[in-house]
Short mmCIF file of all heavy atoms in Angstrom, two decimals:
data_model
loop_
_atom_site.label_atom_id
_atom_site.label_comp_id
_atom_site.label_asym_id
_atom_site.label_seq_id
_atom_site.Cartn_x
_atom_site.Cartn_y
_atom_site.Cartn_z
N ALA E 22 -90.85 23.04 -153.67
CA ALA E 22 -89.61 23.28 -153.03
C ALA E 22 -89.63 24.77 -152.52
O ALA E 22 -90.07 25.62 -153.17
CB ALA E 22 -88.53 23.09 -153.95
N VAL E 23 -89.09 24.96 -151.34
CA VAL E 23 -89.03 26.26 -150.71
C VAL E 23 -87.63 26.79 -150.77
O VAL E 23 -86.57 26.13 -150.45
CB VAL E 23 -89.42 26.24 -149.16
CG1 VAL E 23 -89.41 27.53 -148.54
CG2 VAL E 23 -90.90 25.64 -149.04
N PRO E 24 -87.46 28.07 -151.25
CA PRO E 24 -86.16 28.72 -151.39
C PRO E 24 -85.59 28.83 -149.93
O PRO E 24 -86.23 29.05 -148.93
CB PRO E 24 -86.41 30.08 -151.95
CG PRO E 24 -87.81 30.10 -152.42
CD PRO E 24 -88.56 28.98 -151.74
N VAL E 25 -84.24 28.58 -149.87
CA VAL E 25 -83.45 28.76 -148.56
C VAL E 25 -82.45 29.78 -148.83
O VAL E 25 -81.69 29.86 -149.74
CB VAL E 25 -82.83 27.36 -148.29
CG1 VAL E 25 -81.90 27.55 -147.01
CG2 VAL E 25 -83.77 26.30 -148.17
N ASP E 26 -82.48 30.76 -147.87
CA ASP E 26 -81.64 31.92 -147.97
C ASP E 26 -81.48 32.56 -149.30
O ASP E 26 -80.52 32.96 -149.80
CB ASP E 26 -80.05 31.46 -147.69
CG ASP E 26 -80.01 30.94 -146.24
OD1 ASP E 26 -80.78 31.43 -145.33
OD2 ASP E 26 -79.16 29.92 -146.00
N GLY E 27 -82.79 32.79 -149.94
CA GLY E 27 -82.76 33.53 -151.14
C GLY E 27 -82.46 32.76 -152.40
O GLY E 27 -82.55 33.23 -153.49
N ALA E 28 -82.08 31.54 -152.23
CA ALA E 28 -81.60 30.61 -153.37
C ALA E 28 -82.90 30.19 -154.06
O ALA E 28 -83.93 30.06 -153.47
CB ALA E 28 -80.88 29.52 -152.91
N LEU E 29 -82.78 29.96 -155.37
CA LEU E 29 -83.91 29.46 -156.20
C LEU E 29 -84.10 27.99 -155.83
O LEU E 29 -83.09 27.36 -155.61
CB LEU E 29 -83.63 29.67 -157.59
CG LEU E 29 -83.61 31.13 -158.15
CD1 LEU E 29 -83.21 31.11 -159.66
CD2 LEU E 29 -84.95 31.81 -157.89
N PRO E 30 -85.36 27.60 -155.73
CA PRO E 30 -85.61 26.16 -155.52
C PRO E 30 -85.22 25.31 -156.66
O PRO E 30 -85.31 25.76 -157.76
CB PRO E 30 -87.10 26.07 -155.24
CG PRO E 30 -87.67 27.21 -156.05
CD PRO E 30 -86.52 28.31 -155.91
N ALA E 31 -84.67 24.05 -156.38
CA ALA E 31 -84.26 23.14 -157.38
C ALA E 31 -85.63 22.45 -157.83
O ALA E 31 -86.41 22.07 -157.17
CB ALA E 31 -83.39 22.08 -156.79
N MET E 32 -85.83 22.53 -159.30
CA MET E 32 -87.13 21.99 -159.85
C MET E 32 -86.75 21.53 -161.31
O MET E 32 -85.80 22.02 -161.93
CB MET E 32 -88.16 23.04 -159.84
CG MET E 32 -87.98 24.31 -160.58
SD MET E 32 -89.47 25.34 -160.66
CE MET E 32 -89.62 25.93 -159.08
N THR E 33 -87.56 20.72 -161.75
CA THR E 33 -87.34 20.32 -163.13
C THR E 33 -87.82 21.29 -164.11
O THR E 33 -88.54 22.19 -163.76
CB THR E 33 -88.12 18.96 -163.32
OG1 THR E 33 -89.43 19.24 -163.25
CG2 THR E 33 -87.68 17.88 -162.35
N LEU E 34 -87.60 21.01 -165.43
CA LEU E 34 -88.05 22.02 -166.37
C LEU E 34 -89.52 21.94 -166.51
O LEU E 34 -90.10 23.06 -166.56
CB LEU E 34 -87.45 21.54 -167.80
CG LEU E 34 -87.93 22.41 -168.91
CD1 LEU E 34 -87.56 23.88 -168.78
CD2 LEU E 34 -87.37 21.94 -170.31
N ALA E 35 -90.15 20.81 -166.36
CA ALA E 35 -91.65 20.87 -166.28
C ALA E 35 -92.28 21.57 -165.08
O ALA E 35 -93.21 22.23 -165.27
CB ALA E 35 -92.05 19.25 -166.28
N GLU E 36 -91.57 21.44 -163.96
CA GLU E 36 -92.04 22.16 -162.77
C GLU E 36 -91.80 23.66 -162.99
O GLU E 36 -92.73 24.51 -162.58
CB GLU E 36 -91.32 21.67 -161.53
CG GLU E 36 -91.70 20.33 -161.05
CD GLU E 36 -90.77 19.82 -159.99
OE1 GLU E 36 -89.60 20.30 -159.81
OE2 GLU E 36 -91.30 19.00 -159.23
N ALA E 37 -90.77 24.03 -163.62
CA ALA E 37 -90.52 25.45 -163.84
C ALA E 37 -91.55 26.07 -164.76
O ALA E 37 -92.02 27.12 -164.52
CB ALA E 37 -89.09 25.68 -164.33
N ILE E 38 -91.80 25.29 -165.92
CA ILE E 38 -92.89 25.79 -166.81
C ILE E 38 -94.14 25.85 -166.21
O ILE E 38 -94.92 26.86 -166.39
CB ILE E 38 -92.90 24.82 -168.02
CG1 ILE E 38 -91.49 24.96 -168.87
CG2 ILE E 38 -94.09 25.08 -168.91
CD1 ILE E 38 -91.42 23.96 -169.91
N CYS E 39 -94.55 24.87 -165.39
CA CYS E 39 -95.80 24.88 -164.58
C CYS E 39 -95.88 26.08 -163.74
O CYS E 39 -96.88 26.80 -163.62
CB CYS E 39 -96.02 23.63 -163.89
SG CYS E 39 -97.50 23.49 -162.98
N ALA E 40 -94.79 26.33 -163.02
CA ALA E 40 -94.79 27.55 -162.04
C ALA E 40 -94.93 28.83 -162.84
O ALA E 40 -95.75 29.73 -162.39
CB ALA E 40 -93.44 27.49 -161.21
N LYS E 41 -94.16 28.93 -163.95
CA LYS E 41 -94.28 30.11 -164.75
C LYS E 41 -95.73 30.38 -165.22
O LYS E 41 -96.19 31.43 -165.17
CB LYS E 41 -93.31 30.06 -165.93
CG LYS E 41 -93.44 31.15 -166.88
CD LYS E 41 -92.68 30.92 -168.13
CE LYS E 41 -93.04 31.97 -169.17
NZ LYS E 41 -92.51 31.64 -170.51
N GLU E 42 -96.32 29.34 -165.73
CA GLU E 42 -97.70 29.45 -166.27
C GLU E 42 -98.76 29.82 -165.14
O GLU E 42 -99.63 30.54 -165.42
CB GLU E 42 -98.18 28.19 -167.09
CG GLU E 42 -97.34 28.00 -168.34
CD GLU E 42 -97.50 28.99 -169.37
OE1 GLU E 42 -98.59 29.59 -169.48
OE2 GLU E 42 -96.50 29.37 -169.95
N THR E 43 -98.51 29.21 -163.96
CA THR E 43 -99.42 29.58 -162.87
C THR E 43 -99.26 30.98 -162.54
O THR E 43 -100.27 31.71 -162.34
CB THR E 43 -99.01 28.69 -161.66
OG1 THR E 43 -99.14 27.32 -162.06
CG2 THR E 43 -99.85 28.90 -160.48
N TRP E 44 -98.03 31.45 -162.44
CA TRP E 44 -97.87 32.93 -162.01
C TRP E 44 -98.40 33.89 -163.14
O TRP E 44 -98.98 34.85 -162.82
CB TRP E 44 -96.41 33.17 -161.76
CG TRP E 44 -96.08 32.72 -160.36
CD1 TRP E 44 -95.27 31.57 -160.13
CD2 TRP E 44 -96.50 33.29 -159.15
NE1 TRP E 44 -95.21 31.56 -158.73
CE2 TRP E 44 -95.89 32.45 -158.15
CE3 TRP E 44 -97.32 34.41 -158.71
CZ2 TRP E 44 -96.10 32.72 -156.74
CZ3 TRP E 44 -97.56 34.66 -157.44
CH2 TRP E 44 -96.92 33.86 -156.46
N LEU E 45 -98.28 33.49 -164.43
CA LEU E 45 -98.76 34.26 -165.62
C LEU E 45 -100.28 34.32 -165.48
O LEU E 45 -100.95 35.36 -165.66
CB LEU E 45 -98.23 33.74 -166.91
CG LEU E 45 -96.83 34.09 -167.19
CD1 LEU E 45 -96.36 33.29 -168.53
CD2 LEU E 45 -96.60 35.58 -167.27
N ALA E 46 -100.86 33.14 -165.27
CA ALA E 46 -102.34 33.09 -165.14
C ALA E 46 -102.83 34.05 -163.94
O ALA E 46 -103.89 34.69 -164.04
CB ALA E 46 -102.82 31.60 -164.85
N ARG E 47 -102.12 33.99 -162.90
CA ARG E 47 -102.50 34.85 -161.63
C ARG E 47 -102.31 36.33 -162.08
O ARG E 47 -103.22 37.06 -161.69
CB ARG E 47 -101.73 34.43 -160.51
CG ARG E 47 -102.00 33.08 -159.89
CD ARG E 47 -101.12 32.91 -158.65
NE ARG E 47 -101.37 31.59 -158.00
CZ ARG E 47 -100.72 31.05 -157.10
NH1 ARG E 47 -99.70 31.73 -156.49
NH2 ARG E 47 -101.06 29.91 -156.56
N LEU E 48 -101.30 36.61 -162.74
CA LEU E 48 -101.07 38.04 -163.15
C LEU E 48 -102.20 38.51 -164.03
O LEU E 48 -102.74 39.53 -163.97
CB LEU E 48 -99.65 38.10 -163.86
CG LEU E 48 -99.31 39.55 -164.21
CD1 LEU E 48 -99.37 40.51 -163.14
CD2 LEU E 48 -98.02 39.52 -164.94
N ARG E 49 -102.59 37.59 -165.07
CA ARG E 49 -103.64 38.00 -166.08
C ARG E 49 -104.98 38.12 -165.28
O ARG E 49 -105.74 38.99 -165.65
CB ARG E 49 -103.75 36.88 -167.09
CG ARG E 49 -102.62 36.91 -168.06
CD ARG E 49 -102.96 35.99 -169.25
NE ARG E 49 -101.62 35.60 -169.80
CZ ARG E 49 -101.11 34.39 -169.70
NH1 ARG E 49 -101.78 33.43 -169.13
NH2 ARG E 49 -99.85 34.17 -170.26
N GLU E 50 -105.14 37.33 -164.30
CA GLU E 50 -106.30 37.43 -163.52
C GLU E 50 -106.54 38.78 -162.72
O GLU E 50 -107.56 39.42 -162.74
CB GLU E 50 -106.46 36.28 -162.56
CG GLU E 50 -107.89 36.29 -161.76
CD GLU E 50 -107.89 35.07 -160.81
OE1 GLU E 50 -106.96 34.28 -160.62
OE2 GLU E 50 -108.95 35.04 -160.14
N LEU E 51 -105.36 39.13 -162.17
CA LEU E 51 -105.32 40.40 -161.44
C LEU E 51 -105.42 41.55 -162.43
O LEU E 51 -106.22 42.54 -162.14
CB LEU E 51 -103.95 40.55 -160.74
CG LEU E 51 -103.79 39.83 -159.41
CD1 LEU E 51 -102.43 39.98 -158.92
CD2 LEU E 51 -104.74 40.33 -158.42
N GLU E 52 -104.77 41.53 -163.62
CA GLU E 52 -104.94 42.56 -164.60
C GLU E 52 -106.45 42.65 -165.06
O GLU E 52 -106.98 43.71 -165.17
CB GLU E 52 -104.13 42.31 -165.74
CG GLU E 52 -102.66 42.59 -165.53
CD GLU E 52 -101.72 41.99 -166.58
OE1 GLU E 52 -102.23 41.38 -167.54
OE2 GLU E 52 -100.54 42.25 -166.53
N TYR E 53 -107.10 41.46 -165.25
CA TYR E 53 -108.51 41.46 -165.65
C TYR E 53 -109.45 42.12 -164.50
O TYR E 53 -110.30 43.06 -164.83
CB TYR E 53 -109.07 40.08 -165.98
CG TYR E 53 -110.48 39.98 -166.10
CD1 TYR E 53 -111.02 40.32 -167.38
CD2 TYR E 53 -111.30 39.65 -165.09
CE1 TYR E 53 -112.36 40.22 -167.54
CE2 TYR E 53 -112.71 39.54 -165.34
CZ TYR E 53 -113.21 39.86 -166.55
OH TYR E 53 -114.58 39.81 -166.77
N GLU E 54 -109.16 41.78 -163.26
CA GLU E 54 -109.92 42.28 -162.19
C GLU E 54 -109.75 43.78 -162.11
O GLU E 54 -110.66 44.56 -161.76
CB GLU E 54 -109.54 41.65 -160.84
CG GLU E 54 -109.89 40.19 -160.84
CD GLU E 54 -111.38 39.93 -160.81
OE1 GLU E 54 -112.12 40.71 -160.26
OE2 GLU E 54 -111.77 38.77 -161.13
N GLN E 55 -108.51 44.28 -162.40
CA GLN E 55 -108.24 45.70 -162.30
C GLN E 55 -109.00 46.38 -163.36
O GLN E 55 -109.59 47.50 -163.13
CB GLN E 55 -106.78 46.02 -162.25
CG GLN E 55 -106.33 47.40 -162.16
CD GLN E 55 -104.92 47.62 -162.05
OE1 GLN E 55 -104.08 46.71 -162.69
NE2 GLN E 55 -104.40 48.68 -161.48
N LYS E 56 -108.86 45.83 -164.57
CA LYS E 56 -109.56 46.58 -165.76
C LYS E 56 -111.05 46.51 -165.56
O LYS E 56 -111.74 47.40 -166.06
CB LYS E 56 -109.13 45.88 -167.07
CG LYS E 56 -107.71 46.21 -167.35
CD LYS E 56 -107.30 45.48 -168.61
CE LYS E 56 -105.79 45.85 -169.02
NZ LYS E 56 -105.30 45.05 -170.26
N ALA E 57 -111.59 45.49 -164.94
CA ALA E 57 -113.03 45.32 -164.74
C ALA E 57 -113.49 46.29 -163.56
O ALA E 57 -114.73 46.40 -163.37
CB ALA E 57 -113.39 43.91 -164.44
N GLY E 58 -112.55 46.94 -162.90
CA GLY E 58 -112.94 47.83 -161.87
C GLY E 58 -113.28 47.22 -160.54
O GLY E 58 -113.88 47.81 -159.71
N ARG E 59 -112.78 45.97 -160.26
CA ARG E 59 -113.10 45.25 -159.12
C ARG E 59 -112.00 45.33 -158.05
O ARG E 59 -112.19 44.88 -156.96
CB ARG E 59 -113.35 43.80 -159.38
CG ARG E 59 -114.57 43.57 -160.13
CD ARG E 59 -114.91 42.11 -160.35
NE ARG E 59 -115.80 41.87 -161.52
CZ ARG E 59 -115.76 40.90 -162.37
NH1 ARG E 59 -114.87 39.88 -162.14
NH2 ARG E 59 -116.59 40.83 -163.40
N LEU E 60 -110.91 45.98 -158.52
CA LEU E 60 -109.76 46.28 -157.56
C LEU E 60 -109.56 47.65 -157.36
O LEU E 60 -109.86 48.45 -158.29
CB LEU E 60 -108.51 45.59 -158.10
CG LEU E 60 -108.40 44.02 -158.30
CD1 LEU E 60 -107.21 43.62 -158.86
CD2 LEU E 60 -108.63 43.33 -156.89
N VAL E 61 -109.07 47.97 -156.20
CA VAL E 61 -108.80 49.36 -156.02
C VAL E 61 -107.31 49.50 -155.42
O VAL E 61 -106.72 48.48 -155.01
CB VAL E 61 -109.75 50.13 -154.89
CG1 VAL E 61 -111.14 50.06 -155.39
CG2 VAL E 61 -109.60 49.33 -153.59
N GLU E 62 -106.78 50.70 -155.64
CA GLU E 62 -105.32 50.86 -155.17
C GLU E 62 -105.36 50.85 -153.62
O GLU E 62 -106.34 51.48 -153.05
CB GLU E 62 -104.75 52.10 -155.69
CG GLU E 62 -104.61 52.18 -157.12
CD GLU E 62 -103.56 51.26 -157.65
OE1 GLU E 62 -102.54 51.02 -156.91
OE2 GLU E 62 -103.67 50.71 -158.71
N LEU E 63 -104.41 50.20 -153.08
CA LEU E 63 -104.29 50.08 -151.61
C LEU E 63 -104.21 51.56 -151.00
O LEU E 63 -104.83 51.69 -150.01
CB LEU E 63 -103.11 49.22 -151.23
CG LEU E 63 -102.80 49.07 -149.76
CD1 LEU E 63 -104.09 48.34 -149.15
CD2 LEU E 63 -101.52 48.31 -149.49
N GLU E 64 -103.41 52.35 -151.55
CA GLU E 64 -103.30 53.80 -150.95
C GLU E 64 -104.67 54.43 -150.98
O GLU E 64 -104.92 55.15 -149.98
CB GLU E 64 -102.30 54.56 -151.75
CG GLU E 64 -100.76 54.21 -151.52
CD GLU E 64 -99.84 55.18 -152.34
OE1 GLU E 64 -100.19 56.29 -152.57
OE2 GLU E 64 -98.78 54.69 -152.61
N LEU E 65 -105.46 54.39 -152.00
CA LEU E 65 -106.80 54.94 -152.00
C LEU E 65 -107.69 54.41 -151.01
O LEU E 65 -108.45 55.12 -150.27
CB LEU E 65 -107.42 54.81 -153.41
CG LEU E 65 -106.66 55.53 -154.59
CD1 LEU E 65 -107.37 55.25 -155.92
CD2 LEU E 65 -106.67 57.05 -154.28
N ALA E 66 -107.60 53.11 -150.74
CA ALA E 66 -108.54 52.45 -149.72
C ALA E 66 -108.15 52.89 -148.45
O ALA E 66 -108.97 53.22 -147.55
CB ALA E 66 -108.58 50.93 -149.91
N GLU E 67 -106.80 52.91 -148.11
CA GLU E 67 -106.25 53.29 -146.75
C GLU E 67 -106.70 54.76 -146.53
O GLU E 67 -107.08 55.00 -145.43
CB GLU E 67 -104.79 53.09 -146.66
CG GLU E 67 -104.41 51.63 -146.49
CD GLU E 67 -102.93 51.43 -146.63
OE1 GLU E 67 -102.15 52.40 -147.06
OE2 GLU E 67 -102.42 50.33 -146.19
N ARG E 68 -106.52 55.71 -147.54
CA ARG E 68 -106.84 56.99 -147.32
C ARG E 68 -108.32 57.18 -147.09
O ARG E 68 -108.74 58.02 -146.20
CB ARG E 68 -106.39 57.79 -148.65
CG ARG E 68 -106.57 59.30 -148.51
CD ARG E 68 -105.66 59.80 -147.46
NE ARG E 68 -105.79 61.20 -147.37
CZ ARG E 68 -105.19 61.91 -146.41
NH1 ARG E 68 -104.43 61.42 -145.55
NH2 ARG E 68 -105.40 63.23 -146.34
N ALA E 69 -109.21 56.48 -147.74
CA ALA E 69 -110.60 56.55 -147.55
C ALA E 69 -111.01 56.08 -146.18
O ALA E 69 -111.83 56.79 -145.45
CB ALA E 69 -111.34 55.71 -148.59
N VAL E 70 -110.43 55.00 -145.61
CA VAL E 70 -110.69 54.58 -144.36
C VAL E 70 -110.17 55.52 -143.24
O VAL E 70 -110.86 55.78 -142.32
CB VAL E 70 -110.11 53.16 -144.08
CG1 VAL E 70 -110.09 52.75 -142.65
CG2 VAL E 70 -110.91 52.12 -145.04
N PHE E 71 -108.94 56.03 -143.45
CA PHE E 71 -108.46 57.06 -142.57
C PHE E 71 -109.30 58.24 -142.54
O PHE E 71 -109.64 58.70 -141.30
CB PHE E 71 -107.04 57.41 -143.01
CG PHE E 71 -106.38 58.47 -142.11
CD1 PHE E 71 -105.67 58.08 -140.96
CD2 PHE E 71 -106.33 59.77 -142.55
CE1 PHE E 71 -105.17 59.01 -140.23
CE2 PHE E 71 -105.85 60.72 -141.67
CZ PHE E 71 -105.15 60.31 -140.58
N ASP E 72 -109.76 58.76 -143.55
CA ASP E 72 -110.57 59.96 -143.59
C ASP E 72 -111.88 59.64 -142.90
O ASP E 72 -112.36 60.54 -142.15
CB ASP E 72 -110.82 60.47 -145.08
CG ASP E 72 -109.60 61.08 -145.70
OD1 ASP E 72 -108.61 61.39 -144.92
OD2 ASP E 72 -109.61 61.19 -146.91
N LEU E 73 -112.51 58.62 -143.10
CA LEU E 73 -113.73 58.21 -142.46
C LEU E 73 -113.61 58.09 -140.95
O LEU E 73 -114.42 58.63 -140.24
CB LEU E 73 -114.24 56.83 -142.99
CG LEU E 73 -115.47 56.26 -142.35
CD1 LEU E 73 -116.71 57.23 -142.60
CD2 LEU E 73 -115.84 54.92 -142.84
N CYS E 74 -112.51 57.44 -140.57
CA CYS E 74 -112.26 57.37 -139.03
C CYS E 74 -111.98 58.68 -138.44
O CYS E 74 -112.43 58.95 -137.34
CB CYS E 74 -111.07 56.31 -138.90
SG CYS E 74 -111.59 54.65 -139.25
N ARG E 75 -111.26 59.50 -139.11
CA ARG E 75 -110.98 60.88 -138.52
C ARG E 75 -112.22 61.65 -138.50
O ARG E 75 -112.41 62.32 -137.44
CB ARG E 75 -109.96 61.56 -139.48
CG ARG E 75 -109.65 62.95 -139.00
CD ARG E 75 -108.58 63.68 -139.72
NE ARG E 75 -108.77 63.57 -141.05
CZ ARG E 75 -107.79 63.83 -142.00
NH1 ARG E 75 -106.64 64.28 -141.62
NH2 ARG E 75 -108.00 63.66 -143.30
N THR E 76 -113.11 61.61 -139.50
CA THR E 76 -114.36 62.26 -139.43
C THR E 76 -115.16 61.85 -138.17
O THR E 76 -115.80 62.62 -137.46
CB THR E 76 -115.19 62.10 -140.71
OG1 THR E 76 -114.39 62.69 -141.84
CG2 THR E 76 -116.47 62.88 -140.66
N GLN E 77 -115.30 60.58 -138.00
CA GLN E 77 -116.02 60.00 -136.90
C GLN E 77 -115.43 60.33 -135.57
O GLN E 77 -116.16 60.78 -134.69
CB GLN E 77 -116.15 58.39 -137.02
CG GLN E 77 -116.90 57.91 -138.15
CD GLN E 77 -117.04 56.43 -138.15
OE1 GLN E 77 -116.34 55.72 -137.45
NE2 GLN E 77 -117.88 55.94 -139.11
N ARG E 78 -114.09 60.37 -135.52
CA ARG E 78 -113.43 60.80 -134.24
C ARG E 78 -113.74 62.18 -133.90
O ARG E 78 -114.02 62.61 -132.80
CB ARG E 78 -111.86 60.60 -134.36
CG ARG E 78 -111.14 61.00 -133.07
CD ARG E 78 -109.79 61.37 -133.36
NE ARG E 78 -109.73 62.49 -134.25
CZ ARG E 78 -108.64 62.93 -135.00
NH1 ARG E 78 -107.50 62.23 -134.96
NH2 ARG E 78 -108.72 63.96 -135.73
N ASP E 79 -113.53 63.06 -134.93
CA ASP E 79 -113.85 64.51 -134.74
C ASP E 79 -115.35 64.77 -134.31
O ASP E 79 -115.61 65.58 -133.49
CB ASP E 79 -113.56 65.30 -135.93
CG ASP E 79 -112.04 65.23 -136.37
OD1 ASP E 79 -111.26 64.92 -135.43
OD2 ASP E 79 -111.71 65.66 -137.53
N SER E 80 -116.26 64.02 -134.84
CA SER E 80 -117.63 64.15 -134.50
C SER E 80 -117.82 63.73 -132.99
O SER E 80 -118.62 64.38 -132.27
CB SER E 80 -118.55 63.18 -135.33
OG SER E 80 -118.55 63.65 -136.69
N TRP E 81 -117.20 62.58 -132.58
CA TRP E 81 -117.43 62.15 -131.15
C TRP E 81 -116.68 63.25 -130.29
O TRP E 81 -117.30 63.45 -129.22
CB TRP E 81 -116.75 60.77 -130.95
CG TRP E 81 -117.67 59.73 -131.37
CD1 TRP E 81 -117.52 58.96 -132.51
CD2 TRP E 81 -118.81 59.27 -130.64
NE1 TRP E 81 -118.65 57.92 -132.44
CE2 TRP E 81 -119.36 58.21 -131.41
CE3 TRP E 81 -119.39 59.71 -129.48
CZ2 TRP E 81 -120.49 57.47 -130.89
CZ3 TRP E 81 -120.51 58.99 -129.02
CH2 TRP E 81 -121.08 57.96 -129.80
N LEU E 82 -115.62 63.77 -130.61
CA LEU E 82 -114.97 64.78 -129.78
C LEU E 82 -115.68 66.00 -129.60
O LEU E 82 -115.70 66.74 -128.70
CB LEU E 82 -113.53 65.03 -130.24
CG LEU E 82 -112.50 63.88 -130.08
CD1 LEU E 82 -111.17 64.32 -130.79
CD2 LEU E 82 -112.30 63.45 -128.67
N ALA E 83 -116.50 66.44 -130.69
CA ALA E 83 -117.24 67.66 -130.86
C ALA E 83 -118.62 67.44 -130.10
O ALA E 83 -119.22 68.46 -129.76
CB ALA E 83 -117.43 68.11 -132.24
N TRP E 84 -118.97 66.21 -129.91
CA TRP E 84 -120.41 65.97 -129.37
C TRP E 84 -120.64 66.67 -128.07
O TRP E 84 -121.68 67.28 -127.83
CB TRP E 84 -120.60 64.47 -129.24
CG TRP E 84 -121.90 64.11 -128.75
CD1 TRP E 84 -123.07 64.03 -129.50
CD2 TRP E 84 -122.26 63.70 -127.44
NE1 TRP E 84 -124.15 63.63 -128.71
CE2 TRP E 84 -123.64 63.45 -127.45
CE3 TRP E 84 -121.55 63.56 -126.24
CZ2 TRP E 84 -124.31 63.10 -126.23
CZ3 TRP E 84 -122.17 63.27 -124.96
CH2 TRP E 84 -123.67 62.93 -125.10
N PRO E 85 -119.80 66.65 -127.02
CA PRO E 85 -120.08 67.23 -125.76
C PRO E 85 -120.31 68.75 -125.93
O PRO E 85 -121.16 69.30 -125.19
CB PRO E 85 -118.88 66.81 -124.87
CG PRO E 85 -118.27 65.70 -125.41
CD PRO E 85 -118.54 65.79 -126.93
N THR E 86 -119.50 69.36 -126.75
CA THR E 86 -119.63 70.83 -126.93
C THR E 86 -120.95 71.14 -127.49
O THR E 86 -121.51 72.19 -127.22
CB THR E 86 -118.47 71.27 -127.74
OG1 THR E 86 -117.25 70.88 -127.24
CG2 THR E 86 -118.44 72.82 -127.88
N LYS E 87 -121.43 70.34 -128.37
CA LYS E 87 -122.73 70.61 -129.16
C LYS E 87 -123.92 70.34 -128.20
O LYS E 87 -124.98 71.04 -128.32
CB LYS E 87 -122.83 69.73 -130.39
CG LYS E 87 -121.81 70.22 -131.39
CD LYS E 87 -122.03 69.28 -132.65
CE LYS E 87 -120.94 69.69 -133.72
NZ LYS E 87 -121.09 68.78 -134.93
N VAL E 88 -123.80 69.38 -127.37
CA VAL E 88 -124.95 68.92 -126.57
C VAL E 88 -125.00 69.58 -125.19
O VAL E 88 -126.05 69.75 -124.58
CB VAL E 88 -124.87 67.40 -126.33
CG1 VAL E 88 -125.93 66.91 -125.37
CG2 VAL E 88 -124.86 66.67 -127.70
N ALA E 89 -123.82 70.10 -124.63
CA ALA E 89 -123.85 70.56 -123.41
C ALA E 89 -124.87 71.75 -123.23
O ALA E 89 -125.51 71.85 -122.12
CB ALA E 89 -122.46 71.12 -123.08
N PRO E 90 -124.95 72.74 -124.10
CA PRO E 90 -125.88 73.85 -123.89
C PRO E 90 -127.34 73.30 -123.73
O PRO E 90 -128.20 73.93 -123.02
CB PRO E 90 -125.82 74.67 -125.09
CG PRO E 90 -124.50 74.40 -125.69
CD PRO E 90 -124.14 72.85 -125.31
N PHE E 91 -127.70 72.23 -124.40
CA PHE E 91 -129.09 71.70 -124.21
C PHE E 91 -129.29 70.94 -122.95
O PHE E 91 -130.48 70.91 -122.41
CB PHE E 91 -129.46 70.76 -125.37
CG PHE E 91 -129.31 71.50 -126.77
CD1 PHE E 91 -128.27 71.23 -127.59
CD2 PHE E 91 -130.34 72.46 -127.17
CE1 PHE E 91 -128.11 71.96 -128.77
CE2 PHE E 91 -130.18 73.09 -128.35
CZ PHE E 91 -129.16 72.91 -129.17
N LEU E 92 -128.15 70.29 -122.40
CA LEU E 92 -128.25 69.55 -121.15
C LEU E 92 -128.27 70.48 -119.95
O LEU E 92 -128.73 70.04 -118.82
CB LEU E 92 -127.32 68.48 -121.05
CG LEU E 92 -127.31 67.37 -122.09
CD1 LEU E 92 -126.12 66.41 -122.00
CD2 LEU E 92 -128.57 66.59 -121.84
N ALA E 93 -127.53 71.62 -120.03
CA ALA E 93 -127.29 72.31 -118.87
C ALA E 93 -128.53 72.86 -118.10
O ALA E 93 -128.67 72.72 -116.84
CB ALA E 93 -126.42 73.52 -119.29
N PRO E 94 -129.55 73.29 -118.81
CA PRO E 94 -130.76 73.73 -118.06
C PRO E 94 -131.48 72.66 -117.31
O PRO E 94 -131.89 72.98 -116.30
CB PRO E 94 -131.69 74.26 -119.24
CG PRO E 94 -130.80 74.56 -120.35
CD PRO E 94 -129.61 73.65 -120.24
N SER E 95 -131.40 71.49 -117.82
CA SER E 95 -132.06 70.42 -117.14
C SER E 95 -131.31 69.84 -115.92
O SER E 95 -131.94 69.20 -115.07
CB SER E 95 -132.40 69.25 -118.06
OG SER E 95 -131.15 68.63 -118.51
N LEU E 96 -130.00 70.15 -115.84
CA LEU E 96 -129.20 69.73 -114.77
C LEU E 96 -129.11 70.82 -113.64
O LEU E 96 -128.58 70.49 -112.62
CB LEU E 96 -127.78 69.36 -115.24
CG LEU E 96 -127.81 68.19 -116.24
CD1 LEU E 96 -126.25 68.08 -116.73
CD2 LEU E 96 -128.21 66.85 -115.70
N ALA E 97 -129.47 71.96 -113.96
CA ALA E 97 -129.33 73.09 -113.00
C ALA E 97 -130.47 73.14 -111.99
O ALA E 97 -131.41 72.52 -111.93
CB ALA E 97 -129.31 74.39 -113.75
#
């Protein structure tokens, strides 16, 4: 059953217990993965990707300035 307008879905006691156990199992699995070191914090991953992309962007933007002195004599 899908909640409508934030209301809880109508379910039997057995369905509720099954849903609770399913979510607890998923939570335990996530906790295990985190303790095993297989999960990383989203903020840390986003920051690492941002820093990597910024470094690459800066390298590409600096490339013409670094290469121009070597190309100039051959173009003159």
